[in-house]
Amino acid sequence: MRLLSIVYALVGPTLAGMLITAALTLNMVDARSLIAAAGAGFVLGLPVAWLVARQLQRLS
């Protein structure tokens, strides 16, 4: 569980930043779009962090 939270602390903001950048590139500059992109990044970060943490635990 500790490894999952450490990985999520890195993955969540990274995905949120990537999706915000994508939204800005698509000229979606209203607050609703940017908040949705950030929220989606943090939500999508959970399963990604879980998969990465599981793989890291298998390696050790």
Side-chain angles (χ1 to χ4, degrees):
M1 190 62 149
R2 182 173 178 217
L3 180 61
L4 175 63
S5 45
I6 291 170
V7 172
Y8 179 71
L10 297 170
V11 171
T14 301
L15 282 176
M18 289 169 57
L19 291 177
I20 288 173
T21 302
L24 290 172
T25 301
L26 295 171
N27 206 20
M28 301 170 135
V29 294
D30 57 307
R32 177 178 251 164
S33 297
L34 296 178
I35 292 171
F42 282 113
V43 170
L44 290 174
L46 283 171
V48 172
W50 181 76
L51 289 171
V52 170
R54 189 174 71 168
Q55 288 294 333
L56 287 172
Q57 284 179 342
R58 283 186 185 174
L59 291 174
S60 58

